[in-house]
Amino acid sequence: MKNLDQENKRQTGEQMYKLAKTLFPIARSITGAGARKTLQLIKRKIPIKISEVPTGTKVFDWNIPKEWNIWDAYIKNSKGQKILDFKKSNLHILNYSIPVNRKIGLTELKKHLHTLPDHPDWIPYLTSYYKEDWGFCLSHNQYKKLKNEIYQVFIDSELENGNLTYGELYLRGKSRDEVLISTYICHPSLANDNLSGIILTAFLAARLSRQARTYYSYRFLFIPETIGAIAWLSLNEEKSKNIKHGLTVTCVGDSGQPTYKKSRQGDAPIDKAVEKVLAESGQPYKIISFSPADGSDERQFSSPGFNFAVGSLMRTPYSRYAEYHTSADNLSFIGPAYLADSLDKYLKTIFILENNMKYANLNPKGEPQLGRRGLYRILGSQKKITLNEEAIFWVLNFSDSKNDLLDISLRSGLKFEDVKNAAYALLEKDLLAKI
Amino acid sequence: MKNLDQENKRQTGEQMYKLAKTLFPIARSITGAGARKTLQLIKRKIPIKISEVPTGTKVFDWNIPKEWNIWDAYIKNSKGQKILDFKKSNLHILNYSIPVNRKIGLTELKKHLHTLPDHPDWIPYLTSYYKEDWGFCLSHNQYKKLKNEIYQVFIDSELENGNLTYGELYLRGKSRDEVLISTYICHPSLANDNLSGIILTAFLAARLSRQARTYYSYRFLFIPETIGAIAWLSLNEEKSKNIKHGLTVTCVGDSGQPTYKKSRQGDAPIDKAVEKVLAESGQPYKIISFSPADGSDERQFSSPGFNFAVGSLMRTPYSRYAEYHTSADNLSFIGPAYLADSLDKYLKTIFILENNMKYANLNPKGEPQLGRRGLYRILGSQKKITLNEEAIFWVLNFSDSKNDLLDISLRSGLKFEDVKNAAYALLEKDLLAKI
Amino acid sequence: MKNLDQENKRQTGEQMYKLAKTLFPIARSITGAGARKTLQLIKRKIPIKISEVPTGTKVFDWNIPKEWNIWDAYIKNSKGQKILDFKKSNLHILNYSIPVNRKIGLTELKKHLHTLPDHPDWIPYLTSYYKEDWGFCLSHNQYKKLKNEIYQVFIDSELENGNLTYGELYLRGKSRDEVLISTYICHPSLANDNLSGIILTAFLAARLSRQARTYYSYRFLFIPETIGAIAWLSLNEEKSKNIKHGLTVTCVGDSGQPTYKKSRQGDAPIDKAVEKVLAESGQPYKIISFSPADGSDERQFSSPGFNFAVGSLMRTPYSRYAEYHTSADNLSFIGPAYLADSLDKYLKTIFILENNMKYANLNPKGEPQLGRRGLYRILGSQKKITLNEEAIFWVLNFSDSKNDLLDISLRSGLKFEDVKNAAYALLEKDLLAKI
């Protein structure tokens, strides 16, 4: 579980990217066949349970919306030529568009067209989940070429009572205390936001499934953003009380710096753990404060009625890169090495959470004699003490029932793993006891 | 109450400066006709209650001193020419000088003369409240010209049992909790210190009197410095317990940077409110720590037996400008725009205090669905959310019974007014309740 | 007790250095004649009690080791010439070497030789307390010249049951609460580490012995490092509970910047006191965090079973100077002025501890009238208030049962002594009472 060595990292990155290529073309939305098909493909890799929540179900302040499905959509010009085709890019359709089959003039058409004048080659991604509407998205360059003629607009979609679909994998650990790893599955062909999150979560879950039993229980959620998180919380309120630490997984495949958005608390163990992983990486990184106004489902998990300690470990956050929610967030925007590097940081974070125990020094009065236990050099000299010896002294002195190993590693500036190894060496010599 | 718009600011500044010109010539002291006349003129503007405390009244560790009045004072040379005349500047007289009418030589005279060698054109301002003495203040240049001859010194003053006079205006709000606004009226012809404070306090009180009923009750004090504050506290000890926030008003008319001296607590709501106002102003400003050794009556209100949260919002503080306590602190040292700008900051601070409520999110589990309530855009897009939407998310997430709106504005970095408007919008939709 | 004036400082420095010269040549170790002789010489200056702890005594997790004594040691080459002689430098012998008298070849000899290739002229200092071994230390230049011949190695030492010896001086103050001053006596001819510590501790104790009765009781320990501290704690566990503040004394004679290693708590009164002394010195200085992995006996006193507030006020810390634990840490590495300057800082720290009382303002409501008590200038003027007046206002305002004088001096930025003098002036006028 600990981390990916170099070779493993390269291979894993390739496998992650391969799965991304498979899932990329699917026309996902917050409900419907796209999400369902995505979950079926994930299920080939890890044994998720797929749940369906019927349209109209009351989930806190919300109601599960109608299920949306789409098979085809296009605009034809007066010559009958398809000038815009959903099959070429599922971003062309305003997500949740109702069925349409009409002939209309350019002026009328334009009311339903969306472009990005600042990025004239890109197609924007837009949705209209909660107001019935239809529309097309296209590049601004294409938009400018449209002539004043009669167009046929055709959207073969369905917006009917149905279900919201989500996937869940629960791995029971020694403790009922849970680590929540949540990602969203509702975006169509957008690679970083958030195919990368789906891929990382699936690979992380697969790896934890193959592990010996963990200390914590782990819950992996593959849900539509916002409504899915609210639905899950509403339907699993009792269960949710076990969540002790959490991360939402989004934007983990691009080349940008690792960025951690802290939990609402700001100094929860998950915050300290991720920050320690980032500090130890030697790479540049960013820490940003919690905001309820910007972000993903940590907003729901951190709503004041729950207030779970859920952060988000990303690379470049949504809305801080221009390609966000456009056709430029495609498979070339993400890369195998970045996916694997992000996965590695999640694994290292979990390694810290799993090993972050609190111990009691069983010889708390003065230092124990380490030399006769083989834990300290025999020859007193002017040489610097070793890293192991240093870690041993720190663990002994601060294993006072107040500090856990993460606290000790943060205070000493030593790597978490060195501190943990020192604790294990001391445990073996009966100098420590688990609290 | 909120603030002064641009035009209003210009007009108000002119009116403030006009009142300053009226009050400037009066020969004020800690007791006597000058203070009394000043209060009478203030009373034309706002309905203050004027109180008299008899000489000898015990007020905590102090006794109310004798009342001092002065009508004339001069020095004549041997030719009978007035070389120094109280009627030209009331700073010429050592404040609280006893009556004198004597002929004396230069050597003897010099024992009673006070000058400022570093600023040879300025007349210093000096007092001798608690030791009977007499003296004259003059420019060092004039002093150097004095010849060795016989002078007539004449001081037509009176130091007898009488009263200490102060003014007070109490505006009853919805709550008995009070905001104290205190200024001192004991300085003669000195403009920034502290005619500016008297003017600002009077205008602030006038404006609040015209408002709809406020949440807090407001108490405005026009008192002689130190002895007046001690007298008021001693005579109103029970009442004083309602003081929740306070500001002393001094040095608010000069061109310097707004400067806030924090309360003794350092992180009281009044401190956060003023600091927020200053931060939002976009102007440079200074925050200084509380000191009991330098300052005005916040020292008395913050004495350990009271420990009220009283700060002081000034421009250039006393003793940080060379003109302080000299004839150079005159009407040209202050200006209408600075007076109005200071008043504006007091109004904005009060706006924050008045609106700084604590609310409870009535849908604390997950976000409520804002879209159907018209509080969130319908079309999901890559566009940045609006300021209103941002503020709404912050208010919802942090209205958890711990944070008030000021806390939320500080944590989010949003303007207090935006946060307040978001709260009002949510209140209207029954998504918040006042705690 | 307060501090050393300039002349006194020069003289005291000379006296300290003279004692250092006397003690330098002694071949000390953690047990045996060297330590005993050192303590006898200290006893001529201050009435320490010398204790002996028998070999084998169980002290917490440790046992008192055998006693080691050495009279002579050398290496002779095949011509019978002494090429290395313990009598020339006691660092030549691996400390705790067992007796040897053998003829051996170069290859065999080299297994027992220790050098410092990076500093080819210096002899390293090495020990083997807890594993029976023998060896010689020499300069790397000498080592390189050794020829392939037969050598006679001779060590006239003894490692037998005996005692561990330590010295202790207890000065009873008004309170049983103790200040612990601890230094270690186990190093042979090494000047800064730690002859300087022995000298400073002896002079400090001598000076405190001559004082009027102190508030705190003071305990001075002259012990072998680590095992001595553990032995003392084990044999005096009940007594040790009186320790309220402590300092370990090491590396106080070199020319480097004063450096303070904070206590485990990091913000204990001893930390604030030393940091105040350093800040007031006007000299550059360093503050370093507590580490249990590097340092002296503060590690034992701060073990979690005791957790005493013990810091260490040094100049250049052990292991931060190249000469550490080598023959270059000799009498020319330390100097009279540095010894005296360090002593002065210890005295000033103790001055703060002794005078750091908490007072109650007996006139807590408003300021008392200072003028009539001669504590404030009579003539109100534009002049800055004096330092005394400033300190008086700070002491009055913050003598509220929460703050002690050290807190007040830290918050005001005033010198501790000025704050203390203000408190005494107020006490005299019955404006304060000791809490």
Side-chain angles (χ1 to χ4, degrees):
Chain A
M1 175 178 49
K2 205 173 72 188
N3 62 342
L4 298 168
D5 63 32
Q6 218 42 44
E7 179 51 17
N8 200 333
K9 213 165 166 175
R10 206 191 53 73
Q11 278 177 14
T12 304
E14 298 298 345
Q15 289 160 12
M16 293 173 86
Y17 194 74
K18 195 175 154 197
L19 182 58
K21 282 198 282 192
T22 307
L23 296 179
F24 186 74
I26 300 170
R28 277 168 291 270
S29 182
I30 54 171
T31 60
R36 221 171 263 122
K37 184 172 172 193
T38 300
L39 292 172
Q40 290 299 346
L41 289 167
I42 295 294
K43 199 173 183 169
R44 291 192 193 164
K45 191 167 171 66
I46 48 169
I48 52 171
K49 186 180 144 240
I50 297 175
S51 300
E52 304 276 352
V53 189
T55 298
T57 306
K58 170 109 180 126
V59 288
F60 295 132
D61 189 54
W62 303 60
N63 294 292
I64 300 298
K66 290 180 183 167
E67 180 175 326
W68 183 66
N69 282 288
I70 185 160
W71 296 276
D72 199 4
Y74 56 75
I75 302 175
K76 281 187 182 165
N77 64 14
S78 54
K79 292 175 192 156
Q81 295 163 323
K82 280 191 190 172
I83 59 158
L84 190 141
D85 186 354
F86 167 77
K87 288 181 177 156
K88 288 197 179 150
S89 167
N90 54 40
L91 300 181
H92 277 316
I93 195 76
L94 174 69
N95 205 300
Y96 255 64
S97 282
I98 54 173
V100 178
N101 192 354
R102 287 171 56 192
K103 297 212 169 179
I104 55 178
L106 181 61
T107 313
E108 177 69 8
L109 177 62
K110 279 190 171 176
K111 291 180 191 157
H112 294 272
L113 298 185
H114 306 279
T115 71
L116 285 175
D118 288 347
H119 296 285
D121 288 329
W122 299 353
I123 308 164
Y125 159 59
L126 287 177
T127 67
S128 187
Y129 301 142
Y130 298 101
K131 190 195 157 204
E132 297 201 354
D133 194 2
W134 65 267
F136 289 90
C137 300
L138 66 165
S139 80
H140 199 65
N141 283 338
Q142 186 174 11
Y143 175 88
K144 285 189 297 184
K145 286 181 203 147
L146 293 177
K147 287 177 197 143
N148 199 351
E149 56 187 322
I150 297 298
Y151 293 92
Q152 186 196 359
V153 293
F154 176 72
I155 301 178
D156 183 12
S157 68
E158 190 179 78
L159 187 59
E160 303 288 348
N161 284 347
N163 289 281
L164 174 149
T165 315
Y166 70 84
E168 183 169 8
L169 178 66
Y170 178 68
L171 300 178
R172 183 73 171 82
K174 288 167 199 156
S175 166
R176 281 205 176 275
D177 287 348
E178 264 182 48
V179 179
L180 173 72
I181 307 286
S182 180
T183 197
Y184 50 97
I185 55 161
C186 49
H187 285 33
S189 294
L190 296 166
N192 201 37
D193 176 35
N194 187 32
L195 197 49
S196 70
I198 301 172
I199 304 293
L200 187 148
T201 306
F203 272 73
L204 183 62
R207 196 164 272 256
L208 283 181
S209 311
R210 293 194 303 266
Q211 292 292 317
R213 202 172 197 193
T214 50
Y215 172 76
Y216 284 108
S217 297
Y218 286 80
R219 187 175 304 276
F220 298 89
L221 295 184
F222 299 84
I223 52 182
E225 206 173 9
T226 308
I227 183 68
I230 289 165
W232 187 86
L233 284 166
S234 175
L235 301 170
N236 298 279
E237 195 166 348
E238 205 41 44
K239 240 188 254 181
S240 77
K241 290 175 185 161
N242 294 320
I243 297 173
K244 291 293 170 288
H245 318 282
L247 290 170
T248 58
V249 192
T250 173
C251 300
V252 290
D254 69 288
S255 64
Q257 287 180 14
T259 302
Y260 179 61
K261 176 185 174 181
K262 292 201 279 192
S263 78
R264 189 173 183 269
Q265 292 87 329
D267 61 351
I270 186 66
D271 299 314
K272 297 192 217 172
V274 175
E275 291 183 44
K276 187 73 180 152
V277 167
L278 294 177
E280 289 185 6
S281 73
Q283 296 169 260
Y285 62 89
K286 287 193 187 118
I287 305 283
I288 57 180
S289 293
F290 175 77
S291 160
D294 187 28
S296 182
D297 287 330
E298 68 279 1
R299 290 159 53 167
Q300 310 309 325
F301 299 122
S302 304
S303 56
F306 294 108
N307 196 24
F308 298 136
V310 178
S312 189
L313 175 53
M314 311 167 262
R315 301 187 79 86
T316 308
Y318 34 80
S319 79
R320 299 204 183 181
Y321 58 99
E323 296 83 352
Y324 172 73
H325 278 197
T326 77
S327 56
D329 183 358
N330 57 33
L331 286 169
S332 68
F333 188 70
I334 63 170
Y338 310 126
L339 289 164
D341 183 70
S342 298
L343 176 61
D344 189 46
K345 288 179 170 51
Y346 273 79
L347 287 167
K348 282 174 169 151
T349 302
I350 289 173
F351 177 79
I352 291 183
L353 294 177
E354 285 286 319
N355 288 283
N356 184 27
M357 298 296 139
K358 208 176 261 189
Y359 297 95
N361 178 341
L362 297 174
N363 275 279
K365 294 180 179 174
E367 290 165 4
Q369 204 196 346
L370 299 172
R372 68 169 145 92
R373 294 178 175 92
L375 295 176
Y376 194 67
R377 58 173 191 260
I378 292 305
L379 204 67
S381 90
Q382 78 284 14
K383 273 172 214 134
K384 287 252 173 196
I385 64 168
T386 66
L387 200 61
N388 277 352
E389 289 165 354
E390 205 181 335
I392 280 171
F393 284 122
W394 278 98
V395 171
L396 282 170
N397 193 294
F398 287 95
S399 289
D400 58 357
S401 84
K402 286 190 206 111
N403 298 284
D404 57 32
L405 295 186
L406 183 51
D407 294 328
I408 296 173
S409 73
L410 288 166
R411 178 156 177 171
S412 65
L414 295 169
K415 289 203 170 184
F416 179 83
E417 197 177 347
D418 293 330
V419 168
K420 184 225 122 195
N421 289 342
Y424 278 42
L426 290 165
L427 270 173
E428 230 169 63
K429 303 290 181 179
D430 295 321
L431 290 170
L432 282 192
K434 204 177 257 186
I435 295 183
Chain B
M1 176 177 50
K2 206 174 71 189
N3 62 341
L4 298 168
D5 64 32
Q6 218 44 43
E7 179 52 17
N8 199 335
K9 214 166 167 175
R10 206 190 52 73
Q11 279 178 13
T12 304
E14 298 299 344
Q15 289 160 10
M16 293 173 87
Y17 194 75
K18 196 177 155 198
L19 182 57
K21 281 196 282 191
T22 308
L23 296 178
F24 186 74
I26 301 171
R28 277 168 290 269
S29 181
I30 54 172
T31 61
R36 222 171 261 122
K37 183 172 173 194
T38 301
L39 292 171
Q40 290 299 346
L41 289 167
I42 295 295
K43 200 172 182 170
R44 292 194 193 161
K45 193 170 171 64
I46 48 170
I48 53 171
K49 186 181 143 238
I50 297 175
S51 301
E52 304 276 351
V53 189
T55 298
T57 306
K58 171 110 178 124
V59 289
F60 295 133
D61 189 54
W62 303 59
N63 293 292
I64 300 298
K66 289 181 183 164
E67 180 176 326
W68 183 66
N69 283 289
I70 185 160
W71 297 274
D72 199 5
Y74 54 76
I75 302 174
K76 283 186 180 164
N77 64 13
S78 54
K79 293 175 194 153
Q81 295 164 323
K82 278 192 192 170
I83 59 158
L84 191 140
D85 186 355
F86 166 76
K87 288 181 177 159
K88 290 198 179 149
S89 167
N90 55 38
L91 298 182
H92 277 316
I93 195 76
L94 173 69
N95 205 301
Y96 255 65
S97 284
I98 55 175
V100 178
N101 192 355
R102 288 170 55 193
K103 297 211 170 179
I104 54 177
L106 181 61
T107 314
E108 178 69 9
L109 176 64
K110 281 190 169 174
K111 291 180 191 157
H112 294 273
L113 298 184
H114 305 278
T115 72
L116 283 175
D118 288 347
H119 295 286
D121 288 330
W122 299 354
I123 308 163
Y125 160 58
L126 287 177
T127 67
S128 187
Y129 301 141
Y130 298 102
K131 193 194 154 204
E132 296 201 354
D133 195 2
W134 64 268
F136 290 90
C137 301
L138 67 166
S139 79
H140 199 64
N141 284 337
Q142 186 175 11
Y143 175 88
K144 283 189 295 181
K145 286 181 204 149
L146 293 178
K147 287 176 196 142
N148 199 353
E149 57 187 323
I150 298 298
Y151 292 92
Q152 186 198 358
V153 293
F154 175 73
I155 302 179
D156 182 13
S157 68
E158 191 180 74
L159 187 60
E160 303 288 348
N161 285 346
N163 290 280
L164 174 147
T165 315
Y166 70 84
E168 183 170 8
L169 177 68
Y170 177 69
L171 300 178
R172 182 73 170 85
K174 289 168 199 153
S175 165
R176 282 206 176 274
D177 288 346
E178 263 183 49
V179 179
L180 173 72
I181 307 287
S182 181
T183 198
Y184 51 97
I185 55 161
C186 49
H187 285 34
S189 294
L190 296 167
N192 201 36
D193 177 35
N194 187 34
L195 196 49
S196 70
I198 300 172
I199 305 295
L200 187 148
T201 306
F203 273 73
L204 183 63
R207 195 164 274 256
L208 283 181
S209 311
R210 293 194 303 265
Q211 291 294 317
R213 201 171 198 194
T214 50
Y215 172 76
Y216 285 106
S217 296
Y218 287 79
R219 187 175 303 277
F220 299 88
L221 294 184
F222 299 82
I223 51 182
E225 206 173 9
T226 308
I227 184 67
I230 288 166
W232 187 87
L233 283 166
S234 175
L235 301 170
N236 298 279
E237 195 168 347
E238 206 40 45
K239 241 188 251 179
S240 77
K241 290 175 185 160
N242 294 321
I243 298 172
K244 292 292 170 289
H245 319 283
L247 290 170
T248 58
V249 192
T250 172
C251 300
V252 290
D254 68 288
S255 64
Q257 285 179 17
T259 301
Y260 179 62
K261 176 184 174 181
K262 291 200 282 190
S263 78
R264 188 174 185 267
Q265 291 86 328
D267 60 351
I270 186 66
D271 299 314
K272 296 192 219 172
V274 175
E275 291 183 44
K276 186 72 181 155
V277 167
L278 294 177
E280 288 185 7
S281 74
Q283 296 171 260
Y285 62 91
K286 287 193 188 117
I287 305 283
I288 58 181
S289 293
F290 175 77
S291 159
D294 187 27
S296 182
D297 287 331
E298 68 279 1
R299 289 159 54 167
Q300 311 309 326
F301 300 120
S302 303
S303 56
F306 294 108
N307 196 24
F308 298 135
V310 177
S312 188
L313 176 53
M314 309 167 264
R315 302 188 78 85
T316 309
Y318 33 79
S319 79
R320 300 202 183 182
Y321 58 98
E323 295 83 353
Y324 172 73
H325 278 196
T326 76
S327 55
D329 183 358
N330 56 33
L331 285 169
S332 67
F333 189 70
I334 64 170
Y338 310 126
L339 288 164
D341 183 70
S342 298
L343 176 62
D344 189 46
K345 287 179 171 52
Y346 273 79
L347 287 166
K348 282 175 170 151
T349 301
I350 288 172
F351 178 79
I352 291 182
L353 294 177
E354 285 286 320
N355 288 283
N356 184 27
M357 299 295 140
K358 206 176 261 187
Y359 297 95
N361 178 341
L362 296 175
N363 274 279
K365 296 180 178 173
E367 289 164 4
Q369 205 196 345
L370 300 172
R372 69 169 143 91
R373 294 178 176 91
L375 296 176
Y376 195 68
R377 60 176 186 258
I378 291 305
L379 204 66
S381 90
Q382 79 285 11
K383 273 173 215 136
K384 287 252 173 197
I385 64 169
T386 66
L387 199 60
N388 278 352
E389 289 166 352
E390 205 181 336
I392 280 172
F393 284 124
W394 278 98
V395 171
L396 282 171
N397 194 295
F398 287 96
S399 289
D400 58 357
S401 82
K402 288 190 203 110
N403 299 284
D404 57 31
L405 295 185
L406 183 50
D407 294 328
I408 297 173
S409 73
L410 289 167
R411 177 155 181 173
S412 66
L414 296 170
K415 291 203 170 185
F416 180 83
E417 196 177 346
D418 293 330
V419 168
K420 185 224 121 196
N421 289 343
Y424 277 42
L426 290 164
L427 270 172
E428 228 169 67
K429 303 290 181 181
D430 296 320
L431 290 171
L432 282 192
K434 204 177 258 187
I435 295 184
Chain C
M1 174 177 53
K2 207 174 72 189
N3 61 339
L4 298 168
D5 64 32
Q6 219 42 44
E7 178 52 16
N8 199 334
K9 214 165 165 176
R10 207 191 53 74
Q11 279 177 13
T12 304
E14 298 297 345
Q15 289 160 10
M16 293 174 87
Y17 194 74
K18 195 175 155 198
L19 182 58
K21 282 198 281 193
T22 308
L23 296 178
F24 186 73
I26 302 171
R28 278 167 291 271
S29 182
I30 53 171
T31 61
R36 222 171 262 122
K37 185 172 171 192
T38 301
L39 292 172
Q40 290 299 345
L41 289 167
I42 295 295
K43 199 172 182 170
R44 291 193 193 163
K45 192 168 171 64
I46 47 169
I48 53 170
K49 186 179 143 241
I50 298 176
S51 301
E52 304 275 353
V53 189
T55 298
T57 306
K58 171 108 179 126
V59 287
F60 295 133
D61 189 54
W62 302 60
N63 294 291
I64 300 299
K66 290 179 181 168
E67 180 176 328
W68 183 65
N69 282 289
I70 185 160
W71 296 275
D72 199 4
Y74 55 76
I75 303 174
K76 281 186 181 164
N77 64 13
S78 53
K79 292 173 192 156
Q81 296 163 325
K82 278 192 190 170
I83 59 157
L84 189 140
D85 186 355
F86 167 75
K87 289 182 176 154
K88 290 198 178 147
S89 167
N90 55 36
L91 299 182
H92 277 317
I93 196 74
L94 174 69
N95 205 300
Y96 255 65
S97 283
I98 54 174
V100 178
N101 191 355
R102 287 170 56 189
K103 297 213 170 178
I104 53 176
L106 181 63
T107 313
E108 177 69 7
L109 176 64
K110 280 190 168 174
K111 291 181 191 158
H112 294 274
L113 297 184
H114 306 278
T115 71
L116 285 174
D118 287 347
H119 296 286
D121 288 329
W122 299 352
I123 309 164
Y125 160 58
L126 287 178
T127 67
S128 187
Y129 301 142
Y130 298 102
K131 192 195 156 202
E132 297 201 353
D133 193 4
W134 65 268
F136 290 92
C137 300
L138 67 167
S139 78
H140 199 65
N141 284 337
Q142 185 175 13
Y143 174 88
K144 284 189 297 184
K145 287 181 201 146
L146 292 178
K147 287 177 195 141
N148 199 353
E149 56 187 323
I150 297 298
Y151 293 92
Q152 188 197 356
V153 293
F154 176 72
I155 301 178
D156 183 12
S157 68
E158 193 181 74
L159 188 59
E160 303 288 349
N161 285 347
N163 288 282
L164 174 148
T165 315
Y166 71 84
E168 184 169 8
L169 177 67
Y170 177 69
L171 300 177
R172 183 72 169 83
K174 288 169 200 155
S175 165
R176 282 204 176 276
D177 288 347
E178 265 183 47
V179 179
L180 174 72
I181 308 287
S182 180
T183 197
Y184 49 97
I185 55 161
C186 50
H187 284 34
S189 294
L190 295 167
N192 202 36
D193 176 34
N194 187 28
L195 197 48
S196 69
I198 301 172
I199 305 293
L200 187 148
T201 306
F203 272 72
L204 184 62
R207 196 164 273 257
L208 283 182
S209 309
R210 294 195 304 265
Q211 292 292 317
R213 201 171 198 193
T214 50
Y215 171 77
Y216 285 108
S217 297
Y218 286 80
R219 186 175 303 277
F220 299 89
L221 294 183
F222 299 83
I223 51 181
E225 205 173 10
T226 307
I227 183 68
I230 288 166
W232 186 87
L233 283 166
S234 175
L235 300 169
N236 298 279
E237 195 167 346
E238 205 42 43
K239 240 189 254 181
S240 77
K241 290 175 187 162
N242 293 321
I243 297 173
K244 291 294 169 287
H245 318 283
L247 291 170
T248 59
V249 193
T250 173
C251 301
V252 289
D254 68 287
S255 63
Q257 286 181 15
T259 302
Y260 179 62
K261 176 184 172 181
K262 292 200 280 192
S263 78
R264 188 173 184 269
Q265 292 86 327
D267 60 351
I270 186 65
D271 299 314
K272 296 193 218 172
V274 175
E275 291 182 44
K276 186 73 181 152
V277 167
L278 294 176
E280 288 185 8
S281 74
Q283 296 170 259
Y285 63 89
K286 285 191 187 122
I287 305 282
I288 58 180
S289 292
F290 176 76
S291 159
D294 188 26
S296 182
D297 287 330
E298 69 279 2
R299 289 159 52 167
Q300 311 309 325
F301 299 121
S302 303
S303 56
F306 293 107
N307 196 24
F308 298 136
V310 178
S312 189
L313 175 53
M314 311 167 263
R315 301 187 80 85
T316 309
Y318 33 79
S319 80
R320 300 203 183 181
Y321 58 98
E323 296 84 353
Y324 171 73
H325 278 197
T326 77
S327 56
D329 183 358
N330 56 34
L331 286 169
S332 67
F333 189 69
I334 64 171
Y338 309 127
L339 288 164
D341 183 70
S342 298
L343 176 61
D344 189 47
K345 288 180 169 51
Y346 273 79
L347 287 166
K348 282 174 170 151
T349 302
I350 288 172
F351 178 79
I352 291 183
L353 294 177
E354 285 286 320
N355 288 284
N356 184 27
M357 299 296 139
K358 208 176 260 189
Y359 297 96
N361 178 341
L362 296 175
N363 274 279
K365 294 180 179 174
E367 290 164 4
Q369 204 196 348
L370 299 172
R372 68 169 144 92
R373 295 177 175 92
L375 294 176
Y376 194 68
R377 59 175 188 258
I378 292 305
L379 204 67
S381 89
Q382 78 284 13
K383 275 174 212 134
K384 286 250 173 201
I385 63 169
T386 66
L387 199 60
N388 278 353
E389 290 166 352
E390 204 181 336
I392 279 171
F393 284 124
W394 277 98
V395 171
L396 282 170
N397 194 295
F398 287 96
S399 289
D400 59 355
S401 83
K402 286 191 205 110
N403 298 284
D404 57 31
L405 294 186
L406 182 52
D407 294 328
I408 296 172
S409 72
L410 288 166
R411 177 154 180 175
S412 66
L414 296 170
K415 289 203 172 186
F416 180 82
E417 198 178 345
D418 293 330
V419 169
K420 183 225 122 196
N421 289 342
Y424 277 42
L426 290 164
L427 270 173
E428 230 169 63
K429 304 288 182 182
D430 296 321
L431 289 170
L432 282 192
K434 204 177 255 183
I435 295 185

